Amino acid sequence: MDRHIAIPATGQDGAAVEPDAVRQDWTRAEVRALFELPFPDLIYRAQRVHRAHFDPCQVQISTLLSIKTGGCPEDCGYCPQSAHYEAGVKAEKLMDAAAVVGEARAAKQAGASRFCMGAAWRSPKDRDLDAVCAMVAAVKALGLETCATLGMLTGPQALRLKGAGLDYYNHNLDTSPEYYGEIITTRTFRDRLETLDHVRTAGISVCCGGIVGMGESREDRVGMIVALATLPVHPESVPINMLVQVEGTPLATGQAFDAIEFVRTVAAARITMPASVVRLSAGREDMSEETQALCFVAGANSIFYGPKLLTTPNPARDRDRDLMDKLGLVPMS
Ligand code: SF4
């Protein structure tokens, strides 16, 4: 018997649904059941969904630059850039636009199709936004897709960024609504949803995912995937991060996260958000080639490329190129 017959996809009312259909009505029970599937069945289902929407050998490549590092007033427990912790990250001023454009040009030459600019702010001040809008326009003029992550935005701020040519805005939900308060106390899950709504309304594509390995339960990972997969429109990009434990932050001392559970989370994101690009983000530096390969098989189809992810290390470009060659993967055109 074809084993996929034994793992039908069913919707809220229990009726069979196309396994690769884009739906926003995922329930906790359904997503929990995905996490509980035998690993071969989970991977098989993720592959079917992946192949229905993407070429499984293509990987989208983004580069991330910290344009304003450190001194952030937020208290995200995983983040060395928070001013609440002594993690050895020095607060810096907003980078000069010409330097940002130089980095973007180098990223393009190295094969990136999207350039993300990250600033450690709770939310941008209007004069900061003027500078970022100028950067966005200049990076866009190089022929790159543009992405920014600047903290919470108002509706008018999102519209200004759209007007400057911003293609994507990154704003992660981080974890489940229930666990959110354990990780961040200076803003709420609802604040995140509000900014996502402003970004969507402005016509900017959404990059939104989360982090695993922060001491959350599997039920929290289920809750995070449900929160993402039931947004009114699925994020176009879904970064799934593995916690990078940085000394000086409150989450520096937990146990290393189980790689298979990480792959399961990637597969659950792929299955529930079939048409979204699922990105392997933070944590790749500490991941074996085998784990990364399993993530690609589970439906991940994007990586950040370059030696640094904001302030934490990322595999060197040559190592990424070697791994992609070994696996027969090519940059997404
Ligand atoms: S994750 Fe972002 S918002 Fe949170 S402390 Fe770090 S820079 Fe600030």
Side-chain angles (χ1 to χ4, degrees):
M1 186 178 88
D2 184 343
R3 188 151 165 75
H4 80 263
I5 294 168
I7 47 165
T10 52
Q12 240 166 4
D13 55 3
V17 294
E18 284 300 317
D20 56 358
V22 175
R23 316 159 32 204
Q24 277 77 23
D25 62 351
W26 289 93
T27 63
R28 279 210 176 221
E30 281 180 280
V31 175
R32 195 178 301 124
L34 288 176
F35 270 86
E36 286 168 2
L37 280 174
F39 197 68
D41 290 342
L42 177 66
I43 298 299
Y44 174 67
R45 191 155 157 199
Q47 269 286 309
R48 285 182 69 198
V49 171
H50 194 180
R51 284 163 186 267
H53 291 271
F54 294 99
D55 178 336
C57 299
Q58 290 194 356
V59 175
Q60 189 271 330
I61 295 175
S62 294
T63 294
L64 176 60
L65 175 70
S66 178
I67 59 170
K68 195 272 163 208
T69 302
C72 182
E74 302 282 61
D75 70 348
C76 310
Y78 50 82
C79 183
Q81 300 203 67
S82 167
H84 295 256
Y85 317 126
E86 296 288 339
V89 175
K90 220 175 88 223
E92 292 171 10
K93 283 203 206 120
L94 182 63
M95 272 177 80
D96 174 65
V100 173
V101 173
E103 296 276 352
R105 198 172 283 120
K108 190 179 178 196
Q109 274 161 11
S113 60
R114 188 179 307 163
F115 189 71
C116 307
M117 291 160 272
W121 289 320
R122 175 174 164 82
S123 52
K125 297 189 180 66
D126 283 341
R127 69 162 187 280
D128 295 325
L129 206 64
D130 291 340
V132 174
C133 284
M135 290 175 195
V136 167
V139 171
K140 182 100 176 156
L142 298 176
L144 282 160
E145 286 185 316
T146 55
C147 175
T149 180
L150 315 170
M152 291 185 278
L153 294 182
T154 62
Q157 287 179 324
L159 282 169
R160 285 196 53 207
L161 286 163
K162 173 70 181 172
L166 190 70
D167 297 305
Y168 284 81
Y169 195 77
N170 165 266
H171 203 61
N172 289 333
L173 289 182
D174 290 333
T175 188
S176 68
E178 297 75 26
Y179 197 61
Y180 200 80
E182 300 291 319
I183 303 297
I184 300 142
T185 66
T186 48
R187 57 169 191 263
T188 64
F189 199 80
R190 173 150 292 285
D191 290 330
R192 298 307 263 183
L193 294 175
E194 258 173 38
T195 290
L196 289 174
D197 190 38
H198 294 322
V199 169
R200 215 19 118 192
T201 304
I204 300 170
S205 295
V206 169
C207 172
C208 180
I211 307 173
V212 300
M214 300 193 293
E216 78 285 347
S217 64
R218 174 180 274 184
E219 191 57 25
D220 288 312
R221 291 186 283 282
V222 169
M224 176 183 85
I225 294 292
V226 170
L228 292 166
T230 56
L231 286 170
V233 179
H234 290 165
E236 281 77 5
S237 290
V238 181
I240 302 293
N241 300 279
M242 171 93 93
L243 174 71
V244 178
Q245 295 185 350
V246 183
E247 217 176 305
T249 63
L251 298 180
T253 53
Q255 273 190 339
F257 191 66
D258 178 57
I260 297 296
E261 183 71 6
F262 183 78
V263 178
R264 283 185 181 276
T265 311
V266 169
R270 163 51 60 227
I271 293 166
T272 54
M273 293 167 275
S276 304
V277 164
V278 176
R279 177 173 305 132
L280 285 186
S281 299
R284 278 201 312 122
E285 171 75 8
D286 296 329
M287 242 178 244
S288 69
E289 286 194 342
E290 291 82 355
T291 301
Q292 292 187 60
L294 272 177
C295 289
F296 290 125
V297 171
N301 59 347
S302 172
I303 55 170
F304 272 122
Y305 201 50
K308 255 188 169 188
L309 267 186
L310 294 176
T311 59
T312 57
N314 200 38
R317 287 190 172 118
D318 286 350
R319 235 176 88 196
D320 282 334
R321 219 171 272 145
D322 285 351
L323 179 59
M324 285 181 66
D325 286 349
K326 262 196 217 178
L327 300 177
L329 302 176
V330 296
M332 197 179 280
S333 44

